[in-house]
Amino acid sequence: MFKRLQDKWGVSTRQFWILFIVFGLTGTTTAALTRYITSWLGMDESTFWVWKVLLRVGMLVFGYQAILLTYGFLLGQWAFFWKYEKKLLNKLGVWSLESGVNDSTPNSKLQTPNSKLQTPNSQLTHIAIFASGAGSNAEKIIAHLKNHSSIKVSLIVCNKPGAGVLGIAAANQIPTLLIEKERFFRGDAYLPELRSREIGFVVLAGFLWKVPDALVAAYPNKIINIHPALLPKYGGKGMYGMHVHEAVIAAGEKESGITIHYVNEHFDEGAPIFQATCPIEPGDTPEKLAEKIHVLEHRHFPEVVERVVNRESSIVSREYKAQD
Ligand code: GAR
């Protein structure tokens, strides 16, 4: 249950427990303060019940929220709780999320000024697709999310000049960012560029470099990867593209598949989100297997991306196997 909540909030385990403490302290303080005010106002059994109810509702609606923000601020969680409050106020119709556009944290969901499908209170999550190769998965994701009301592919990040994915980006008028090793691994991991484009979610679609810790830390539970095998088998350093299929065939496996998973500090070890399998027939070559895997990827990855970005709990952080 805790894990589900953590995934829904998109926070690290440490942050999750701090948030929990903030909620706990807020509840206790609000209850104590309500008791104190009740006695300070001299309210007792003889007081008209409406006044007591009004006081409690007032404390819950205003006091609780103010105390929540105060504890949140004191425990370094202002950004999380401010966003939480804004959402609440937005639901109550008191605050328009449009006025929160200048929130520039990487996790923020922002309004797009020019989205055609925009409704007055809609929020847009900008995603970046990292890819190193042909980009067939990127292309499917872009097509799937075209004109989506709340998700936009806003950036293609690539480490290989001339890679096919750059042409796909150009054809779809999506800006690209060509990255180089030194700055990615030993510099700022291109975080300023991601932040300036308000990227809130990262999808690795055939990206073959390891993700630096700085990027993982900046996007907790907001980076997902697709791997062309059934992890935890055939994962790790050096296991990408055709190398994976060659190893699977050489081992005489009867089935292979795809794994979509969260990205953590270790290669291919983040929590699984989704798996789908395909049979390996006698005589299948690594190339034939690669084709089958691509079919699976194209069928499932775009929808899984959409569902994870939308934080649909039915899929987030739960291993799911689809037999194809
Ligand atoms: C995909 O099969 C993907 O699973 C794999 O690279 C291919 C990229 O194809 N990723 C890895 O091996 C990551 N370890 P694409 O460029 O046509 O989308």
Side-chain angles (χ1 to χ4, degrees), residues 127 129 137 140-142 144-145 148 151 201-204 221-227 258-262 271-276 295-322 324:
I127 70 172
I129 299 179
N137 278 289
K140 295 287 176 193
I141 296 167
I142 292 165
H144 183 78
L145 296 175
H148 195 282
I151 307 171
F201 202 94
V202 171
V203 175
L204 311 185
N221 283 325
K222 288 192 166 73
I223 308 178
I224 64 171
N225 176 46
I226 189 158
H227 186 77
I258 59 169
T259 304
I260 300 167
H261 63 95
Y262 288 107
I273 298 164
F274 179 95
Q275 287 190 317
V295 170
L296 280 186
E297 293 182 332
H298 297 165
R299 186 178 304 156
H300 298 292
F301 199 21
E303 198 200 326
V304 173
V305 168
E306 181 187 7
R307 293 178 66 182
V308 176
V309 173
N310 279 341
R311 301 257 154 220
E312 286 180 27
S313 53
S314 59
I315 195 162
V316 172
S317 196
R318 188 162 67 81
E319 191 166 2
Y320 175 86
K321 278 205 174 200
D324 281 74

Side-chain angles (χ1 to χ4, degrees), residues 131-139 165 168 204-209 225-229 234-236 238-242 244-245 258-259 261 267-268 290 293-294 297-298 301:
S132 310
S136 69
N137 278 289
E139 189 170 29
V165 71
I168 291 166
L204 311 185
F207 185 67
L208 307 185
W209 283 355
N225 176 46
I226 189 158
H227 186 77
Y234 307 104
M239 275 293 162
Y240 58 85
M242 288 307 286
V244 179
H245 309 311
I258 59 169
T259 304
H261 63 95
F267 243 129
D268 299 330
I293 292 294
H294 261 127
E297 293 182 332
H298 297 165
F301 199 21

Side-chain angles (χ1 to χ4, degrees), residues 24-36:
L25 286 173
T26 302
T28 318
T29 309
T30 310
L33 207 62
T34 309
R35 270 198 306 275
Y36 178 79

Side-chain angles (χ1 to χ4, degrees), residues 11 54 72 76 114 125 155 181 199 202 232 236 241-242 262 291 298 310:
V11 295
L54 277 179
N114 50 12
T125 301
L155 186 65
K181 235 176 198 157
I199 299 300
V202 171
M242 288 307 286
Y262 288 107
E291 272 172 36
H298 297 165
N310 279 341

Side-chain angles (χ1 to χ4, degrees), residues 249-268:
I249 297 278
E253 296 283 0
K254 296 280 174 288
E255 69 166 15
S256 188
I258 59 169
T259 304
I260 300 167
H261 63 95
Y262 288 107
V263 171
N264 66 13
E265 297 78 7
H266 309 287
F267 243 129
D268 299 330

